């Protein structure tokens, strides 16, 4: 069974490889089996028209964190892809950064469910801005070639 | 009542202003009252680890299109912000571009609901990759200053 | 491959066996592979406090119809159980009956997704009152003994 | 501002009046401002085909508890009706009873969001079987006549 260090390395590797996650500046803060915390900082290209973090960025960060939380709880060699994602936006995200805390609620051999709380952080103070649940399914861990053929 | 030309101008204006929407390359293809079609093209910074469009990009494009569809159906001067967003991912989005077709299902004075179909387009052929529903609420149309204080 | 008659028999059999579905008066109107229509009639024990059909009844009918739509599209011998269910309530359901039209959007070997439109029917006129998406997973078709051990 | 006793009386009154909630045997266990716990006991007419509580019953109980949690946190005279409901089913509900613990996450003047954990209770042991989020909107508190005209 993978150690916590190996799990963190795995999550950081995927986060760095994935074009979108790295391009929006995702940082991996903490990784335990079934629990992952990620963050990203405010940039003008991540905002919507009111100056808040865009809902797509909140959804994308949560999705990525949820996938990591479930992947670390799946059998080794399996990787979580999202089947569905539900986001409740609770407050405008006007902070300097976002923190997503993802926790796997239930993980089986082929399906996992994760809950994510996303906080807007302003001057060090966290305010919850969204809650997310994601249903994930297991596929083989991505190799160096894109797996172009899987379907649900 | 606003003409279709005025509605399209309004949606294009918001899309161009919003940092995230313009930074991911959102193009406004069609605008009618309650119906909006948007698209964006593949770029390496929008992909996840399997080479598909990232779920956050799909969610973000759908959210933006849903907001536009509901905004054009709200009473004039009102702007749709997302209360919640539900995405079902149906197939990997491996195409050259994404098209989101958003339609307002029901719009009242303060709440609107939109359905969005997102297609992955490969060599001109559309394949549905996600279906989304978004619940929106009306706030005052954004002026030049960010509206920092609204809450649900 | 099962004929349409066999599929309808299968869906009617499950609907009659299931305590909840039969107790709320579920009627099977139409069954095709991946498409199922069900209905139920107004009764005082199915209402909420404003005299509408209760949200739980709408959700339950939609869930049952979605499961049937996906089950008829799964490989033979497989049965759909719900992983998650998302309901958008669009209008109060004040009609004499409810009709749920479920359609499988995508069905693989282990997971299926269904969309359901639920209509409130008043004096023969249908008005949409809710849209639902359900994610389902395949388990073995239920025998005469309850399958007490599956987990996601 | 209403006392806890008055809030409990209000929730019990609505639960007793509502045909569906009382017909499935809903019991109100605890009421605080923004937090409500409800339960119901196993009956054959609440089961699905594997002998579990039907998803519609879980959704209905959660919906009712969520509505109560948000109603007790809304301004006095306002009543929560469901805009949308999202249920993740985590494990089969094979217990003797269900307990739903609903908590309002955020409540404004017109919209409230609630999270609900539903547990299957078997021989006194609680196991989580579903997590739910519900988005609610405020309408006037129901009088003795059904309010037939509100729309979103």
């Amino acid at each position: 069974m993978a150690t916590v260090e190996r799990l963190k390395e795995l999550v950081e590797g995927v986060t760095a490889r994935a074009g979108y996650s790295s391009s929006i500046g995702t940082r991996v803060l903490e990784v335990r089996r079934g629990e992952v915390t990620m963050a990203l900082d405010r940039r003008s290209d991540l905002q919507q028209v009111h100056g808040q973090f865009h809902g797509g960025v909140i959804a994308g960060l949560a999705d990525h964190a949820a996938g990591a939380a479930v992947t670390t709880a799946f059998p080794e060699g399996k990787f979580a892809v999202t089947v569905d994602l539900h986001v409740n936006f609770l407050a405008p995200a006007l902070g300097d950064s976002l923190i997503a805390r993802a926790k796997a609620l239930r993980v089986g051999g082929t399906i996992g469910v994760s809950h994510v709380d996303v906080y807007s952080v302003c001057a060090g103070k966290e305010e919850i801005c969204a809650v997310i649940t994601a249903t994930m399914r297991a596929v083989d861990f991505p190799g160096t070639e894109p797996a172009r053929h899987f379907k649900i």
Side-chain angles (χ1 to χ4, degrees), chain A residues 13-14 17-18 140-148:
Chain A
V14 170
R17 273 171 70 183
D140 289 337
F141 205 84
T144 49
E145 290 305 302
R148 294 192 170 266

Side-chain angles (χ1 to χ4, degrees), chain A residues 34-96:
Chain A
E35 287 189 50
V36 168
T37 305
M38 294 183 172
L40 56 78
D41 295 328
R42 170 177 287 276
R43 291 190 330 220
S44 61
D45 64 335
L46 303 179
Q47 298 174 17
Q48 49 79 276
V49 73
H50 292 98
Q52 306 163 25
F53 280 99
H54 193 279
V57 174
I58 293 169
L61 177 67
D63 181 34
H64 192 68
V70 172
T71 295
T72 61
F74 266 150
E76 213 167 334
K78 293 294 178 184
F79 182 80
V81 293
T82 312
V83 172
D84 71 53
L85 186 72
H86 184 250
V87 188
N88 286 93
F89 296 100
L90 300 178
L94 287 158
D96 310 315

